[in-house]
Amino acid sequence: MAGTRATKRQRRVIIVALSVLMVLSLIPVRFMGWTQGIHNVVAALVTPSAWLGTKLTNPLRRRVMADDNPESRAALEQQRDQALLDLEQLKDDINRLERRVEDLQQGVRINELQPTLLTAQVTHRPSDLTSKLLGVRAGTTAGVKKSSVATERGVRLVGRVVQTSPRQSWVLPITDKASGIIRGSVIYDNGATVFCDLTPTGAGTLRGKMWELPGDLEPPTGGELVRLSDPQWPAHSRMLEIGTIIKVESDPNSALRQIITVEPRVDLNLVQEVILRIDPYDDVDMPSHSSGNGGGE
């Protein structure tokens, strides 16, 4: 009898619960806000246990899957590692291409007269200290002239062509003492520029005096970019990069002048290839640079 009464009570509880749920389902949502408190209590009690259960079962599930087919797991890991390698290589390729595009675009912006650009492999480097000419695989057959300017990556000044043959040309780097004085512009972060006259030191750098600084400019501190501003070089080579300032000294003869040392961004004697800038309208050899200061001193 006790079991029968318990069964009847359970049925009545189920019927009452179902009736309550049916009634609640018919009540508009705006009148059910009071149930949110009950939901929060139940969620607080259930969620931690569910999270703990997931943490405990996931490692077991992964282990079972791995034990079931270890070869498949090894293959998947290999594919994953290869995919990561491919991704990194693609990123590197994209970065290199973006730098190349930026350099070429900059080369177009800084020149009004567009020369013919010719990529040439460096085939000869100096083997002694008497000559530092770079031999490149391009000559008069390809249109190279003694007025042609050699660059690295299209925007960094390497030197000028001083000798030519039908299939070979020879470039004198700007860091060679035989190159003579070259005029540049020190470019400040705010866009201001100051001329400077630089002489090759023979040690891979150039050194010389800056012109007098305007009253609102401070002396450079190092790292400033120096660009070509020499009227005796072809017009299309103006504003090519000479290098960056690595040392600043005060001129003992003038408090308003600074002596700077400039270093190209790459070792000009170790470049693998150059881009020759050939002026199609210039058939005259480039004149040698005099040792004068052109009014800078």
Side-chain angles (χ1 to χ4, degrees):
M1 291 295 294
T4 302
R5 285 196 297 270
T7 301
K8 290 182 179 180
R9 283 198 299 270
Q10 292 174 356
R11 289 177 179 176
R12 282 197 293 269
V13 169
I14 293 173
I15 293 172
V16 171
L18 290 175
S19 301
V20 172
L21 290 175
M22 291 180 63
V23 173
L24 291 176
S25 65
L26 298 175
I27 299 177
V29 176
R30 61 179 181 274
F31 298 120
M32 296 296 293
W34 59 274
T35 60
Q36 186 62 39
I38 300 175
H39 172 270
N40 293 338
V41 174
V42 174
L45 295 174
V46 174
T47 301
S49 60
W51 174 84
L52 180 60
T54 301
K55 289 295 182 181
L56 292 175
T57 57
N58 280 347
L60 295 176
R61 186 181 298 109
R62 288 194 296 267
R63 187 176 305 169
V64 170
M65 293 175 62
D67 293 340
D68 288 344
N69 197 343
E71 294 182 358
S72 298
R73 179 178 181 181
L76 290 174
E77 290 179 348
Q78 183 178 359
Q79 292 177 8
R80 178 202 62 193
D81 294 341
Q82 183 62 46
L84 291 175
L85 175 62
D86 293 341
L87 177 61
E88 293 303 320
Q89 291 177 340
L90 285 173
K91 288 180 180 178
D92 184 65
D93 289 342
I94 291 172
N95 290 335
R96 289 190 296 105
L97 290 173
E98 287 179 344
R99 289 196 301 269
R100 187 66 177 270
V101 169
E102 289 174 358
D103 288 342
L104 293 176
Q105 288 177 339
Q106 184 179 10
V108 170
R109 289 196 301 269
I110 63 179
N111 295 286
E112 294 181 359
L113 302 177
Q114 293 304 311
T116 300
L117 302 182
L118 176 65
T119 301
Q121 194 74 22
V122 175
T123 59
H124 176 82
R125 293 179 178 80
S127 58
D128 56 65
L129 298 178
T130 60
S131 175
K132 293 187 177 181
L133 298 180
L134 298 177
V136 299
R137 188 180 288 123
T140 55
T141 303
V144 181
K145 308 166 187 177
K146 288 186 180 180
S147 60
S148 300
V149 177
T151 66
E152 193 269 338
R153 291 178 59 181
V155 295
R156 296 173 181 170
L157 183 61
V158 173
R160 59 185 178 184
V161 174
V162 294
Q163 297 178 20
T164 58
S165 67
R167 299 188 181 277
Q168 186 91 0
S169 299
W170 298 89
V171 176
L172 179 66
I174 58 173
T175 51
D176 191 290
K177 284 190 173 182
S179 184
I181 294 177
I182 187 171
R183 179 164 299 163
S185 295
V186 179
I187 310 298
Y188 282 76
D189 290 339
N190 62 2
T193 62
V194 179
F195 289 119
C196 59
D197 293 307
L198 304 173
T199 302
T201 64
T205 59
L206 301 97
R207 185 173 182 269
K209 295 181 180 180
M210 294 179 61
W211 292 18
E212 289 188 7
L213 295 173
D216 58 342
L217 280 184
E218 296 291 332
T221 58
E224 289 83 1
L225 185 64
V226 180
R227 293 186 179 275
L228 181 65
S229 297
D230 198 313
Q232 297 199 50
W233 284 67
H236 60 72
S237 64
R238 306 287 173 84
M239 301 306 291
L240 291 173
E241 294 182 13
I242 296 176
T244 54
I245 298 177
I246 61 171
K247 186 177 181 180
V248 182
E249 307 168 75
S250 297
D251 186 350
N253 300 320
S254 175
L256 299 177
R257 297 176 186 245
Q258 307 297 318
I259 300 176
I260 59 174
T261 301
V262 178
E263 183 178 55
R265 295 191 181 187
V266 293
D267 189 334
L268 303 185
N269 292 318
L270 298 179
V271 293
Q272 299 296 319
E273 69 176 19
V274 297
I275 296 180
L276 298 173
R277 304 174 69 88
I278 305 171
D279 189 344
Y281 305 106
D282 186 6
D283 293 323
V284 181
D285 292 350
M286 181 187 299
S288 59
H289 199 308
S290 66
S291 59
N293 55 46
E297 291 291 313

